[in-house]
Amino acid sequence: MDRKVVIPGDLLSEDAKRSGEGTFVKDGQVYSLLYGLANYRDKINVIPLAGKYVPAPGDNVIGVVKDITFSNWIVDINSPYDGLLHISEYPKRIESDEMSKYLRIGTSVMTRVKDVDPTMKVELTLNDRKLGMIKTGQVIEISHTRVPRLIGKGGSMISMLKKELNCNIFVGQNGRIWINGSADDMDLALKTVLLIEKEAHTNGLTDRIVEFLKKEKEARS
Amino acid sequence: MIAMDESNISFFKDGCRLDGRKADQLRPLKIEVGVLARADGSCYIEMGGNKVIAAVYGPREVHPRHLQEVTRAIVRYRYNMASFSVEERKRPGPDRRSYELSKVSREALEPVILTSYFPRSVIDVFVEVLQADAGTRTAGINAASVALADAGIPMKSLISSCAAGKVADTIVLDPMKEEDNFGQADLPVAMTPNGDITLLQMDGGLSPAELHEAVEMAMNGCRQIYELQRKSLVDKYSQLESLSQVPEQEAEACD
């Protein structure tokens, strides 16, 4: 097996070039920065077992509008930093006194992080067909550290889920997931996502989930 | 409380200390990780008679706002003793002693935390002493360091902490209450596993040679504690693994 539990300060490699995410180099040696699982590939990455989501440009996130200012919606994105959705990032041109007509406080939105500056001012955008306000379906929250497993290698897990579950799924990098489908399908989707969260650190997860879905479906019919 | 006469107390009996330990032996240590559901990271530790719980929250938004730092996260450390943690009821609330311990403990941990990863945020560490038996600051630092790792906060290493003392002209490791109260010196040390000291205090008097011996002994204690801290974190993960019952034959990894 090519993964191992490591704690901060564990020596991972003697080769400084193999330092990846979640590691640091001291005196030409690679050490772990985090408590998590070390992945030995070309680069050594340490995948954390816990931690807060830190926004990065290009991430899709699901947020909840928590305040409205003169020209920005302030969006809670499940992170230490709030997202700012500027009025000009709304797909339609709107007046600033009409902002609450379009996105009210408490509205969930699927957005993308447009830019993050060094002081962690997070700019969001809605300018994409995939993005927008959430009107139907449900949003569930998992730890953001489990999101890569939910997506799978090259999107293998998520595309399988969409097909098998008959649901529309939008995965926010911040650990919020939107599911939309029939009531039964959504129930199963919810169960599956929570199962993936629980078993995210195990091997051969996709195969096991396929089997789990097969069994669940048999039980239903 | 039975009044002990300071002059004629014997700390050693047949070469062993009052609780049966050798001079360079730690008290029994127990560490549990992830004991609090609402905290981002937590740890419960028992060092002999000390029972301490540590909770870590964050990184999160700073309140009040003016404490915020634009380029890095701030660390707040609150050391607090429960009113029932000592024999005579401790008046609850912060006092001179707990302010000082909070400050030195924070400064013991801060050098390993990568605060620059989280500008404009705060990492809150709460340490509650439930039962005190000398060396609560060291127990608190040990617990806090494990709780920080459990919270997924990037650190250069863990911090381990342990005290050495001098009783009856002998240097001893990890003094318990009697030795601390009636001994000649107490020397808490905190350090990284590779020997960088981040906390060194002294109460009482030691000669330069004794100081060297005591620091060396405390550092040895820290190394032993580090192994247990490490084990507790690794064990938490294997517990997770056994819960989800992984079939052994799987080969394909996906992420």
Side-chain angles (χ1 to χ4, degrees), chain A residues 5 7-10 24 26 33-35 39 41 50-52 54 80-81 119-120 149 153 203-204 206-208, chain B residues 40 59 61 70 114 117-120 149-152 154-157 194 226 230 233 237 246 250 252 254-255:
Chain A
V5 198
I7 63 165
D10 275 4
F24 70 101
K26 202 177 103 188
L33 265 183
L34 296 161
Y35 169 45
N39 238 327
R41 300 253 167 83
K52 290 280 167 76
V54 176
Y81 310 105
T119 64
M120 293 315 262
R149 298 311 297 271
K153 204 182 234 161
N203 274 333
T206 311
D207 295 346
R208 221 141 13 97
Chain B
D40 296 312
E61 253 179 84
V70 186
L114 281 112
Y117 276 42
F118 306 100
R120 292 203 296 122
D150 182 42
M155 292 192 286
K156 283 185 203 147
S157 69
N194 52 28
Y226 175 73
R230 196 196 143 71
L233 284 165
Y237 168 78
V246 199
E250 285 165 349
E252 185 228 340
C254 60
D255 57 308

Side-chain angles (χ1 to χ4, degrees), chain B:
Chain B
M1 190 185 157
I2 312 146
M4 279 177 151
D5 187 1
E6 213 177 314
S7 52
N8 59 17
I9 178 172
S10 73
F11 288 105
F12 292 95
K13 216 178 182 180
D14 314 325
C16 282
R17 292 202 255 164
L18 292 174
D19 55 0
R21 280 185 293 159
K22 297 262 159 47
D24 60 349
Q25 202 179 349
L26 287 171
R27 289 177 284 183
L29 190 67
K30 187 181 131 191
I31 306 178
E32 249 176 87
V33 188
V35 289
L36 302 173
R38 300 193 73 83
D40 296 312
S42 57
C43 174
Y44 171 73
I45 191 168
E46 281 180 20
M47 270 174 89
N50 291 308
K51 296 185 178 177
V52 177
I53 204 160
V56 170
Y57 292 81
R60 61 181 179 181
E61 253 179 84
V62 190
H63 289 290
R65 270 276 166 69
H66 68 268
L67 295 176
Q68 201 171 73
E69 296 262 354
V70 186
T71 54
R72 60 179 202 103
I74 60 166
V75 180
R76 283 192 294 214
Y77 189 108
R78 188 183 113 113
Y79 167 97
N80 186 49
M81 275 175 102
S83 54
F84 52 81
S85 63
V86 274
E87 248 167 286
E88 191 140 0
R89 180 176 185 274
K90 185 202 167 278
R91 219 173 99 94
D95 51 16
R96 199 216 97 246
R97 181 174 169 275
S98 73
Y99 273 119
E100 180 199 317
L101 293 195
S102 300
K103 180 183 177 287
V104 297
S105 304
R106 188 191 74 233
E107 287 170 354
L109 291 167
E110 237 176 349
V112 293
I113 303 174
L114 281 112
T115 50
S116 59
Y117 276 42
F118 306 100
R120 292 203 296 122
S121 66
V122 59
I123 297 164
D124 274 313
V125 184
F126 298 97
V127 169
E128 294 289 323
V129 178
L130 306 177
Q131 185 175 292
D133 187 28
T136 52
R137 83 196 68 187
T138 60
I141 291 167
N142 290 331
S145 132
V146 174
L148 282 164
D150 182 42
I153 287 165
M155 292 192 286
K156 283 185 203 147
S157 69
L158 292 183
I159 292 285
S160 314
S161 178
C162 182
K166 180 183 172 192
V167 288
D169 295 323
T170 316
I171 305 295
V172 293
L173 184 64
D174 194 14
M176 66 215 165
K177 198 172 148 224
E178 291 76 12
E179 291 169 337
D180 188 33
N181 288 168
F182 305 107
Q184 294 152 294
D186 180 26
L187 182 101
V189 172
M191 67 168 210
T192 65
N194 52 28
D196 295 333
I197 289 178
T198 60
L199 170 116
L200 182 72
Q201 291 182 297
M202 186 168 80
D203 185 7
L206 291 173
S207 71
E210 284 171 334
L211 179 74
H212 271 286
E213 191 191 341
V215 170
E216 206 44 61
M217 191 183 263
M219 284 173 78
N220 259 326
C222 290
R223 286 187 197 104
Q224 291 171 44
I225 290 168
Y226 175 73
E227 288 308 318
L228 284 157
Q229 287 175 307
R230 196 196 143 71
K231 190 171 165 288
S232 70
L233 284 165
V234 175
D235 281 357
K236 187 203 174 191
Y237 168 78
S238 39
Q239 254 174 34
L240 283 176
E241 191 148 73
S242 62
L243 273 179
S244 48
Q245 288 147 11
V246 199
E248 282 298 304
Q249 69 274 19
E250 285 165 349
E252 185 228 340
C254 60
D255 57 308

Side-chain angles (χ1 to χ4, degrees), chain A residues 68-83:
Chain A
I68 300 174
T69 63
F70 175 69
S71 57
N72 280 299
W73 285 280
I74 295 176
V75 184
D76 162 43
I77 50 170
N78 197 20
S79 150
Y81 310 105
D82 284 333

